[in-house]
Amino acid sequence: MGDYKYTLSEDRIPKHWYNIAADLPEPLAPVLHPGTGQPIGPDDLAPLFPMACIMQEVTQEREIEIPEPVREVYRLWRPAPLYRARRLEQVLDTPARIYYKYEGVSPSGSHKPNTAVAQAFYNKEEGVKKLSTETGAGQWGSSLAFAGNLFGLEVNVFMVKVSFEQKPYRRALMETYGARCVASPSMETESGKAILAEHPDSTGSLGIAISEAVEVAAKNDDTKYSLGSVLNHVLLHQTIIGQEAMEQMEMAGDDPDIVIGCAGGGSNFAGLAFPFLGQQMRGGKKRQVIAVEPAACPTLTRGTFAYDFGDTAHLTPLVKMHTLGSTFIPSGIHAGGLRYHGMSPLVSHLVALGLVEAVAYHQTGCFDAGVQFARAEGIVPAPESTHAVKAAVDQALKCKAEGTSKTILFNLSGHGHFDMQAYTDYFAGKLKDEDYDHAALDAAMADLPQVAAE
Ligand SMILES: *Cc1c(COP(=O)(O)O)cnc(C)c1O
């Protein structure tokens, strides 16, 4: 059968994160203060984030050193393995070579601890006692719960209500790591109360949960806010994925023509793709780079590239990104981690520059691919990750139709062991391919803030 698994020794865990800002042909648009419309400075963000993370938001340095205590924790599961999906290739009868980087080997089962550990470390260093955050499907909440516990921080998680009800085991995992988890919208914040007054049956959204978590951090001196995706420093922390994958592709004697990741806020996609894109922008090989999103929340493919708020209650600064409007609430599809109205400014910028392409898929097609993958490769993908699997399968079938042999690399961002209800629903034929609500999208887009600087 030939080689199919590429592992690196612990001393190959990268010593630096890769900062793509150093290689961009055009800089990112500045982050704006929602009141003044002027670019914000580090001090404006100080109530919410530790200074180390704020400086990582804006630095132009290409390599950022990973603190040794963070690498020490990474050793629990890193370097993550890279696999060649030989059995899937056989099933598809494709001339393409398919590889995947598997991030499901982390304690919480996804890529998210890569940044959770770094953020917990920097907060601890700066004397913070408590972290406040939101979670969609529960992946981020459980990752921060794990990391916060290691560094002795109290963690409070606002979990989107639909997931809180669908995924009780994720909540149990957060509690196992010692975190506190409440359903959002909640009665614990002004933002939550305002939503509930208007929509008592609200199933919540990431935008609402972010408002609640930000509010708690803004009102408490000993508490900072922690975000699991979207921001530059979060994407930065994920670049160890792509750096390891580059070395492993070399071990395999191969080089990807196509690089794929699913995109909710953009962090696992960026983590794999940015080191490859950086190489390309510095004169290296040109690759096809694809971000995959759900058709029910089509931020990159149907959204507008404009300044918007990161949350529903408009407590965050304005960032320029692809957005469906901060009041847009996507339908309750199972890939909860992909249900965000916005997209990371860095990924949005790269799409606008034509360096990254975006596709959107309906969920049943993604589960078809996820089940096909599980039966061939043994790993059950998280519902979010099935979007990347589907794109890889489609590209491999395209190679077959065209009679071309390409090398495809995708990020398997996590396993689906806590999401088996989604698979049960899929097998029972209960999954619906909901499109987004066109009227709701129009209404949310009409609410976009007016920004003079544009
Ligand atoms: C959270 C999550 C995602 C989506 O978030 P990104 O920041 O876009 O990576 C994708 N896959 C898994 C398994 C997740 O937990």
Side-chain angles (χ1 to χ4, degrees):
M1 174 127 201
D3 287 345
Y4 66 94
K5 186 179 183 191
Y6 303 92
T7 51
L8 300 169
S9 59
E10 279 178 26
D11 61 321
R12 300 310 302 159
I13 295 172
K15 295 203 164 61
H16 298 88
W17 291 300
Y18 164 65
N19 178 21
I20 200 169
D23 292 314
L24 291 174
E26 286 171 36
L28 278 186
V31 175
L32 303 182
H33 190 283
T36 65
Q38 294 302 306
I40 59 166
D43 289 346
D44 293 307
L45 292 174
L48 295 186
F49 301 106
M51 205 37 87
C53 291
I54 295 171
M55 297 322 283
Q56 288 176 358
E57 261 324 272
V58 294
T59 178
Q60 299 292 310
E61 248 173 87
R62 183 173 288 121
E63 293 191 327
I64 311 291
E65 194 177 339
I66 304 176
E68 201 44 45
V70 173
R71 288 185 82 239
E72 199 55 49
V73 179
Y74 283 168
R75 280 199 174 87
L76 282 172
W77 73 95
R78 303 207 73 85
L82 176 97
Y83 292 92
R84 174 147 173 208
R86 289 190 185 262
R87 291 186 179 84
L88 181 65
E89 290 170 17
Q90 274 170 9
V91 171
L92 297 173
D93 190 25
T94 173
R97 290 180 301 279
I98 307 173
Y99 295 83
Y100 58 96
K101 177 76 168 163
Y102 184 41
E103 288 295 316
V105 291
S106 80
S108 62
S110 76
H111 63 290
K112 292 201 170 79
N114 296 334
T115 184
V117 171
Q119 293 189 45
F121 167 78
Y122 289 124
N123 275 289
K124 181 69 183 183
E125 282 274 293
E126 296 184 26
V128 175
K129 300 281 182 266
K130 299 181 194 172
L131 294 176
S132 154
T133 196
E134 74 292 328
T135 195
Q139 291 270 21
W140 170 243
S142 50
S143 301
L144 195 69
F146 154 71
N149 175 60
L150 286 185
F151 290 101
L153 298 165
E154 223 178 89
V155 177
N156 263 297
V157 184
F158 291 93
M159 184 170 189
V160 177
K161 193 181 278 166
V162 60
S163 298
F164 188 87
E165 284 157 6
Q166 274 178 357
K167 305 195 167 168
Y169 297 133
R170 274 282 165 200
R171 187 183 359 143
L173 183 60
M174 289 180 233
E175 288 166 357
T176 302
Y177 288 134
R180 184 171 162 271
C181 176
V182 295
S184 166
S186 78
M187 293 300 283
E188 298 194 359
T189 65
E190 296 310 316
S191 321
K193 284 183 206 162
I195 295 279
L196 287 172
E198 226 183 300
H199 308 284
D201 298 327
S202 170
T203 54
S205 71
L206 272 176
I208 294 169
I210 292 173
S211 297
E212 294 206 84
V214 166
E215 186 184 319
V216 169
K219 284 184 175 163
N220 294 283
D221 283 346
D222 61 351
T223 307
K224 296 241 188 272
Y225 169 65
S226 187
L227 187 62
S229 187
V230 179
L231 298 177
N232 302 347
H233 71 270
V234 180
L235 274 57
L236 173 80
H237 299 156
Q238 294 294 351
T239 56
I240 44 176
I241 301 172
Q243 292 183 65
E244 287 175 7
M246 274 182 162
E247 194 169 337
Q248 289 162 312
M249 288 302 303
E250 251 172 60
M251 281 171 81
D254 216 336
D255 194 12
D257 302 298
I258 306 174
V259 178
I260 297 168
C262 66
S267 76
N268 89 85
F269 163 77
L272 180 67
F274 281 9
F276 287 100
L277 280 167
Q279 206 181 50
Q280 174 178 324
M281 289 189 287
R282 295 191 302 275
K285 170 171 165 171
K286 168 131 182 56
R287 298 181 175 87
Q288 188 182 2
V289 182
I290 308 173
V292 193
E293 60 185 13
C297 189
T299 317
L300 287 168
T301 51
R302 297 290 171 84
T304 301
F305 188 37
Y307 273 100
D308 198 5
F309 292 96
D311 72 317
T312 306
H314 297 175
L315 303 176
T316 69
L318 295 168
V319 294
K320 193 170 182 193
M321 61 181 175
H322 284 82
T323 179
L324 297 168
S326 62
T327 52
F328 180 76
I329 298 185
S331 61
I333 55 165
H334 275 286
L338 304 181
R339 293 174 70 235
Y340 182 56
H341 72 272
M343 181 54 66
S344 127
L346 275 170
V347 173
S348 294
H349 188 63
L350 289 159
V351 168
L353 290 171
L355 291 161
V356 169
E357 58 186 88
V359 291
Y361 289 126
H362 283 293
Q363 62 178 351
T364 52
C366 295
F367 276 94
D368 290 343
V371 169
Q372 189 173 40
F373 180 87
R375 289 178 184 174
E377 297 293 316
I379 299 171
V380 179
E384 292 83 3
S385 316
T386 62
H387 290 71
V389 176
K390 162 81 173 149
V393 167
D394 278 7
Q395 289 297 327
L397 292 176
K398 193 167 165 226
C399 286
K400 181 178 171 178
E402 291 171 350
T404 53
S405 168
K406 287 186 180 166
T407 299
I408 300 166
L409 169 64
F410 74 94
N411 200 5
L412 190 64
S413 51
H415 66 64
H417 297 176
F418 287 90
D419 308 283
M420 295 317 290
Q421 188 59 46
Y423 280 86
T424 301
D425 291 350
Y426 166 76
F427 291 122
K430 286 191 199 157
L431 287 197
K432 281 183 281 177
D433 274 344
E434 285 179 77
D435 216 8
Y436 59 94
D437 179 334
H438 291 243
L441 178 58
D442 289 345
M445 294 301 281
D447 273 355
L448 279 188
Q450 301 297 317
V451 175
E454 267 188 293

